[in-house]
Amino acid sequence: MVISHAKLLIFITTILSISLTFFSVYANLEGDALFALRKAVNDPENVLQSWDPTLVDPCTWFHITCDHHNRVTRLDLGNAKLSGKLVPELGKLESLQYLELYMNNFDGEIPKELGGLKSLVSLDLFHNNLTGPIPSSLSKLSNLKFLRLNDNNLTGRIPRELTKLGNLKILNVSNNNLCGAFPITGSFSKLTEERLEGPELIGFVRYSSGRECN
């Protein structure tokens, strides 16, 4: 069967329209998620000034990197003098690979919704004022290679579920207020002394000096 040029043109136009709608929907979802963060934080240096919610595509904003599908893959806000709380909406950035929020003044708990960042490779929240437990939901980040939560005020145990992170190469939870025993099973058993840091480790004595949890 021969397809006429007119029908072929209509078919191509329809596909392009569907594709543009698909990318527009995701851009709006990601833009809304990022703008929720902007509204929740204090930004004395105006580093988020370009985050304009009237722009459909957040890929035009500073400190944001996107892939060729216009999906957000990096959020680079390290050492930006931001303060406030992390928002659960960040968990909607499903293509995010690098979440770099280190060396700021974020407080409050780490949102459990970050466990929804299925593409995440690096989670860097070190040198903030974060409190509460390490969310066990981070164990869902199957692509995670770098987890740095050191120099915060986190409490509770290190979730045993994190030992399921088969791609984990660097873990640093030092200088917090964690308690209990350091897991040495699963992926944690493969980490060398240089790649495994926590408040309970003296040299490479795994967890013999851990504080008891209440």
Side-chain angles (χ1 to χ4, degrees), residues 172-199:
N172 193 339
V173 293
S174 61
N175 298 319
N176 280 288
N177 295 308
L178 301 173
C179 62
F182 205 105
I184 57 173
T185 58
S187 61
F188 284 23
S189 65
K190 302 174 184 178
L191 298 176
T192 63
E193 180 178 358
E194 293 77 19
R195 297 181 177 184
L196 180 60
E197 298 184 39

Side-chain angles (χ1 to χ4, degrees), residues 22-181:
F22 175 81
F23 292 131
S24 178
V25 168
Y26 268 110
N28 283 326
L29 287 174
E30 294 186 329
D32 290 346
L34 291 168
F35 191 66
L37 176 65
R38 180 186 174 182
K39 291 190 296 183
V41 303
N42 298 313
D43 178 20
E45 301 291 326
N46 290 321
V47 298
L48 305 180
Q49 188 172 15
S50 67
W51 290 24
D52 185 349
T54 64
L55 299 177
V56 175
D57 187 0
C59 298
T60 62
W61 301 354
F62 291 155
H63 312 289
I64 300 294
T65 302
C66 294
D67 61 16
H68 62 285
H69 294 303
N70 282 5
R71 303 293 301 276
V72 176
T73 57
R74 291 188 67 110
L75 176 55
D76 291 297
L77 289 171
N79 199 20
K81 298 183 180 179
L82 301 173
S83 61
K85 300 186 186 303
L86 302 181
V87 294
E89 286 85 351
L90 289 174
K92 297 178 181 179
L93 303 174
E94 294 184 356
S95 294
L96 193 68
Q97 298 177 23
Y98 296 88
L99 181 54
E100 309 296 330
L101 300 176
Y102 57 86
M103 296 181 70
N104 284 290
N105 293 300
F106 290 115
D107 58 20
E109 297 190 359
I110 299 173
K112 65 180 185 301
E113 288 81 3
L114 296 189
L117 300 175
K118 58 184 180 182
S119 300
L120 203 64
V121 172
S122 180
L123 177 57
D124 285 320
L125 302 179
F126 60 88
H127 282 284
N128 278 286
N129 297 308
L130 298 170
T131 57
I134 299 173
S136 59
S137 61
L138 299 185
S139 64
K140 299 177 183 178
L141 304 177
S142 59
N143 293 304
L144 196 67
K145 294 182 179 179
F146 310 102
L147 178 57
R148 288 175 278 242
L149 305 176
N150 51 291
D151 294 276
N152 281 286
N153 297 303
L154 300 173
T155 55
R157 298 179 181 274
I158 299 170
R160 297 298 189 273
E161 292 88 345
L162 296 186
T163 62
K164 299 176 183 177
L165 296 174
N167 290 310
L168 195 65
K169 297 185 181 301
I170 299 290
L171 172 68
N172 193 339
V173 293
S174 61
N175 298 319
N176 280 288
N177 295 308
L178 301 173
C179 62

Side-chain angles (χ1 to χ4, degrees), residues 3-36:
I3 301 176
S4 68
H5 289 295
K7 289 183 177 179
L8 181 60
L9 182 60
I10 292 173
F11 175 77
I12 293 174
T13 301
T14 302
I15 294 298
L16 287 175
S17 177
I18 293 173
S19 297
L20 289 173
T21 300
F22 175 81
F23 292 131
S24 178
V25 168
Y26 268 110
N28 283 326
L29 287 174
E30 294 186 329
D32 290 346
L34 291 168
F35 191 66

